[in-house]
Amino acid sequence: MPLPIIKYPYLPEGKQLLYVPADNVFMKAAQKQAQNYGCRKHSTGAVAVKDNTIIAEGGNAGTFVTVCPRVYKDYGTGQGYEFCKRYCDQEGHAEIMVCKYAINNSIYLQGADLYLYGHWWCCENCWDHMIKAGISNVYLMESSEKIFNYEFQSDDQIDPTPQFKVYISGPLTHLKNPDIKLLYDHIGELVESEGMTPHVPHLIKDPIKHVDITPEEVYQTDTQMVKDADLMICYVGEPSIGVGLEIEMANRYKTLVVLINEKDQNIVHLATGSPNIIEHLTFTDLDDVIEKLRTVLQKFKKTGSMQNISVKL
């Protein structure tokens, strides 16, 4: 039955959302679709049903990432979708993917019902696709408006703080200010104090102190560290080919990036335009950057602990 007391962010005129229990066979099938996909904001799955048979299915396909940039940035509905497409490689919401599946397989959706798991409403774009495809009714799981709504998330739905790894990136050779390595050390100590694991490259492969390490070993080590990291803090206050490569590595491996540099410095747009950058901080001194990074790390931890409630159930 419809629940008219729920205030949906969007609902087309003349349409309503219907509800079925969690153990409904079609809702369970939609849940299975959600668990096959990688979105960390709302993992959703959907199936289209006609004559009591599933005829199309889909989920909000995307590359699995530890922290959703849209959640971190506090984006609301309709905001920050460039992260979904450019960063997470998401093709579309579950409802749209069902419609695409039907089109690609020459399936006629007119008169079919859609069962959606993992969310408590459907956005305008999804409704437009479903209406155009001829979907008759949309069914959600009972109590979706509480279970899949962050505002109603209970303590037992929130994960303990994940064991995040943070890579500290910055130039090591031809430094104008050799004391900048002390900044990397302080950032590493901050990361550790926040219960996260820091990787400070110059401690294991400083080109001055560790002269025996080969270029191939440096490349392999850096690549693996960036790949394993959940977050990269990147000092871009001095030009560095190596740092530029690491920013691109981070983009390839879906590692989120925070850029830092002193105020009144011009940073090349190629570096600042990467789609996996979630913050660009400028600072005046060591205390300033440490406090700004502390705020970022705490928000990063909180974001990681509250995500993906649809898959955890």
Side-chain angles (χ1 to χ4, degrees):
M1 295 181 63
L3 299 178
I5 60 171
I6 300 173
K7 186 177 180 180
Y8 303 107
Y10 177 78
L11 188 65
E13 185 176 355
K15 291 293 183 179
Q16 60 182 345
L17 290 168
L18 304 175
Y19 293 82
V20 294
D23 61 358
N24 176 277
V25 62
F26 299 126
M27 189 56 65
K28 296 293 287 184
Q31 180 182 12
K32 185 176 181 180
Q33 287 297 311
Q35 292 171 334
N36 288 337
Y37 291 91
C39 179
R40 288 285 284 162
K41 188 175 189 294
H42 280 291
S43 292
T44 58
V47 295
V49 178
K50 195 172 185 178
D51 298 329
N52 213 36
T53 302
I54 295 175
I55 60 174
E57 57 192 21
N60 58 335
T63 302
F64 180 87
V65 296
T66 309
V67 169
C68 171
R70 291 186 64 234
V71 177
Y72 176 85
K73 300 289 283 187
D74 297 321
Y75 282 132
T77 299
Q79 297 177 314
Y81 283 157
E82 66 272 11
F83 283 108
C84 301
K85 295 180 179 180
R86 293 192 301 155
Y87 180 65
C88 294
D89 304 319
Q90 189 186 88
E91 299 176 36
H93 291 174
E95 304 96 306
I96 292 176
M97 297 308 293
V98 167
C99 296
K100 287 184 177 180
Y101 179 97
I103 292 172
N104 293 337
N105 292 277
S106 301
I107 295 171
Y108 192 52
L109 289 179
Q110 186 71 38
D113 295 329
L114 185 135
Y115 291 75
L116 174 67
Y117 177 90
H119 218 329
W120 62 284
W121 63 287
C122 304
C123 72
E124 182 175 0
N125 191 32
C126 288
W127 271 113
D128 289 345
H129 277 76
M130 290 188 291
I131 292 171
K132 183 178 180 180
I135 295 291
S136 292
N137 299 300
V138 177
Y139 289 90
L140 304 181
M141 191 176 77
E142 289 177 350
S143 301
S144 289
E145 75 281 0
K146 294 183 179 179
I147 295 173
F148 301 125
N149 189 342
Y150 290 129
E151 294 182 5
F152 291 91
Q153 202 171 357
S154 60
D155 291 341
D156 60 355
Q157 288 177 284
I158 299 177
D159 282 341
T161 301
Q163 297 300 307
F164 290 128
K165 296 179 181 179
V166 181
Y167 181 82
I168 293 99
S169 170
L172 298 177
T173 57
H174 310 298
L175 289 170
K176 294 179 181 178
N177 178 12
D179 291 337
I180 205 67
K181 292 179 184 179
L182 295 176
L183 171 63
Y184 308 154
D185 293 336
H186 285 293
I187 295 174
E189 292 170 1
L190 170 66
V191 168
E192 196 166 17
S193 72
E194 290 296 331
M196 306 159 96
T197 302
H199 293 302
V200 188
H202 80 91
L203 297 181
I204 59 173
K205 57 179 184 62
D206 187 295
I208 298 175
K209 294 181 180 179
H210 307 100
V211 294
D212 294 332
I213 191 168
T214 67
E216 291 77 15
E217 290 172 325
V218 171
Y219 181 84
Q220 291 171 1
T221 301
D222 278 14
T223 301
Q224 191 62 50
M225 282 187 169
V226 173
K227 184 177 181 179
D228 291 344
D230 303 292
L231 180 68
M232 183 168 83
I233 298 174
C234 185
Y235 173 71
V236 290
E238 294 192 25
S240 170
I241 295 174
V243 170
L245 285 171
E246 288 176 338
I247 292 175
E248 191 54 32
M249 286 179 185
N251 185 38
R252 181 197 311 168
Y253 295 116
K254 309 302 181 186
T255 301
L256 293 175
V257 174
V258 175
L259 299 182
I260 60 172
N261 59 268
E262 294 86 351
K263 286 186 176 180
D264 302 323
Q265 285 185 324
N266 292 321
I267 309 302
V268 296
H269 289 170
L270 186 61
T272 60
S274 181
N276 57 325
I277 294 172
I278 56 172
E279 296 278 6
H280 185 184
L281 308 177
T282 60
F283 61 91
T284 55
D285 54 32
L286 178 62
D287 290 339
D288 185 33
V289 69
I290 291 300
E291 285 310 306
K292 287 178 177 177
L293 285 174
R294 189 187 309 279
T295 300
V296 168
L297 292 176
Q298 291 175 352
K299 185 175 181 181
F300 194 84
K301 288 192 300 181
K302 182 179 179 181
T303 301
S305 66
M306 69 182 288
Q307 292 182 157
N308 218 16
I309 56 176
S310 58
V311 169
K312 286 184 286 185
L313 294 174

